[in-house]
Amino acid sequence: MHSRLMALTASAVVVALSLAGCASDTGAKPQKDDSKLTIWTIEDKPDRLQAQEKMLDAFSASNDVDYELVPIAEDQLSSALTAAAAANELPDLVSALPLSNVHQFANDDLLDTEAAAEVVKKLDAGTFNKAALDLTRSGDTQLAVPSDAFPLMLFYRTDLFKAAGLDAPTDYPSVLEAAKKLNGNGVAGISAATSAAEQFTSQTIESFGLSNDCQLVNGKGDLALDSDNCKTAFGLYTDLMSKYSVAGEQDTATTRASYFAGQAAMVVWSSFLLDELAGLRNDALPTCDQCAADPRWLANNTGVVGGLQGPDASSPATYGEVVSFAIMRDAAPITKDLVSWLMSDSYTDWISVAPEGKIPVRTGAEPGSTEYVDGWADLETGVDTREKLSALYSPEVLDTVVGATNDIVRWGMTEGQGGLAGAMTTQRVLPTLFSDLIASGGSLDDALVSATDKAEQIKSGLGG
């Protein structure tokens, strides 16, 4: 069997599939069989593609099936799949699909949900992280097969906190106290995303909301962004960003750079920071004064908080992303076998693609087993340099990372409003409003009224 990595941009995929659709005389859908699989992946970095090819080569050789692996940029996936559906050329499988896309494509009737349910049943739902299954369901329908997750966490300088006599920043009062006390002398109290142009800002804002039990919709399905819980959460976010953070709009790169340079006492980032924080990626090295002599200094002096707790919440909450293997409508039957194999025989290989951001959501091969989670800590991470996670971080830090994935919650996903939540994210509704609010001041109440109006428009457009 041979494989072929389709080195196409997403725009090229859209054009090619659109032309294919126009060229069809009958619009008839070709019958899929098990001789060849088409797999799209959002894991599109060269080293990750090579790792996926190695796995697929092994499956191909033992199952007498060819495949094409097509890398797709996440921000172009939706348009590419829309064109593919119009041309009756959907791939068999999309890997590493984020939650918002899972729910969006389910609403668009692009997923084979029965196939996803069959795979989960075969693997045994009792071997999965419950939060991951809940977030990839709509009612009783399993939309996709969750493969891994990463949490958004608060990283903080343990040396600065200790010197200032501060407790770990686990709740609103301790975060605000630390931001005030440590802000100054070239160090910002906290760095977090505020850019109107990035979905990372949506994730950050939602994480603050969830920490105070601020929800996108209430139990009746009505919008709840103007609730008291939301006002408290977003009030803290705007205060921190406008008074105790780095000046100007902050994004994925600048928040990381500020923390790495020793210019921020706290940063909100995902677990993907772990390898870079330890100096394993040459294009994103820590640059603090102490880091020149010891590239691991910052990692050794950083603590992590998996989820904050607001004054109106009964427990901490963690924002995170659960990504899935999405079996597409009319996929070849053997696609189910591939996903089952990737989630069992090759699961450690899949997680190894980027273990710092691919925390297992399947704990073990049997209910009660923890072999996959236990083995995760000993996987090698890094780009230019490779090291085991367990050699870089204490068991306490790694347990916090894993534990955070068990508590992931998201707006709208378990209330049947995943489509609305996804559209709010892709249209960057909250980043636009809060970026303006932080930069120019103004009324939080007015911003939340605007956010609610925009959400109502989106909800109506979705038929909700």
Side-chain angles (χ1 to χ4, degrees), residues 14-29:
V14 172
V15 171
L17 292 172
S18 296
L19 289 174
C22 293
S24 175
D25 292 329
T26 64
K29 179 173 56 184

Side-chain angles (χ1 to χ4, degrees), residues 112-446:
D112 187 339
T113 58
E114 291 185 5
E118 288 179 32
V119 172
V120 170
K121 182 178 180 179
K122 178 180 179 180
L123 296 173
D124 194 323
T127 65
F128 282 82
N129 174 326
K130 183 178 182 299
L133 286 180
D134 289 344
L135 289 166
T136 53
R137 286 174 176 155
S138 178
D140 294 330
T141 302
Q142 187 68 48
L143 305 179
V145 181
S147 59
D148 50 273
F150 65 83
L152 202 65
M153 303 184 295
L154 184 67
F155 295 78
Y156 67 99
R157 287 277 300 275
T158 53
D159 60 314
L160 297 180
F161 273 69
K162 182 177 180 180
L166 294 166
D167 294 329
T170 58
D171 55 21
Y172 281 23
S174 57
V175 169
L176 186 58
E177 180 187 9
K180 289 179 178 179
K181 195 166 187 177
L182 298 176
N183 190 65
N185 299 318
V187 177
I190 187 170
S191 180
T194 60
S195 171
E198 282 201 347
Q199 290 190 19
F200 183 40
T201 306
S202 289
Q203 297 170 354
T204 302
I205 293 170
E206 184 174 338
S207 73
F208 274 89
L210 290 168
S211 68
N212 197 44
D213 197 20
C214 155
Q215 300 296 331
L216 177 62
V217 295
N218 60 25
K220 299 179 181 179
D222 299 325
L223 289 165
L225 287 174
D226 60 351
S227 68
D228 290 341
N229 289 25
C230 291
K231 290 177 182 178
T232 298
F234 298 147
L236 175 67
Y237 170 76
T238 53
D239 279 350
L240 290 172
M241 296 305 103
S242 60
K243 298 176 182 177
Y244 310 111
S245 188
V246 182
E249 281 198 347
Q250 301 302 306
D251 57 24
T252 307
T254 62
T255 51
R256 177 181 60 195
S258 295
Y259 190 76
F260 279 14
Q263 296 171 357
M266 296 178 281
V267 65
V268 178
W269 237 80
S270 76
S271 62
F272 276 103
L273 194 70
L274 292 171
D275 62 331
E276 301 160 6
L277 186 64
L280 304 184
R281 179 176 162 182
N282 291 344
D283 64 350
L285 290 170
T287 58
C288 65
D289 292 342
Q290 302 91 331
C291 298
D294 180 5
R296 305 268 171 89
W297 186 89
L298 195 57
N300 293 334
N301 287 276
T302 291
V304 294
V305 175
L308 294 178
Q309 181 170 354
D312 302 310
S314 58
S315 60
T318 300
Y319 174 97
E321 184 63 81
V322 176
V323 302
S324 298
F325 291 118
I327 301 173
M328 305 307 290
R329 188 184 69 205
D330 305 315
I334 200 172
T335 307
K336 292 182 290 186
D337 295 333
L338 171 59
V339 175
S340 296
W341 181 81
L342 287 167
M343 291 295 299
S344 54
D345 293 19
S346 194
Y347 193 43
T348 298
D349 295 328
W350 172 255
I351 297 300
S352 297
V353 168
E356 70 282 357
K358 299 182 86 62
I359 320 306
V361 297
R362 193 169 185 234
T363 56
E366 303 290 339
S369 169
T370 58
E371 62 187 282
Y372 297 140
V373 173
D374 294 342
W376 170 79
D378 286 326
L379 295 179
E380 288 189 346
T381 186
V383 177
D384 300 289
T385 305
R386 304 282 292 178
E387 288 281 358
K388 290 182 178 180
L389 285 163
S390 58
L392 300 170
Y393 295 101
S394 68
E396 291 76 19
V397 167
L398 297 180
D399 287 347
T400 297
V401 175
V402 172
T405 64
N406 295 322
D407 299 321
I408 290 176
V409 288
R410 290 286 294 276
W411 277 346
M413 299 296 173
T414 57
E415 293 86 9
Q417 295 294 336
L420 171 62
M424 290 282 288
T425 297
T426 57
Q427 295 184 34
R428 298 174 178 84
V429 174
L430 294 180
T432 300
L433 291 169
F434 279 100
S435 180
D436 290 342
L437 184 64
I438 291 164
S440 59
S443 167
L444 174 61
D445 287 342
D446 289 346

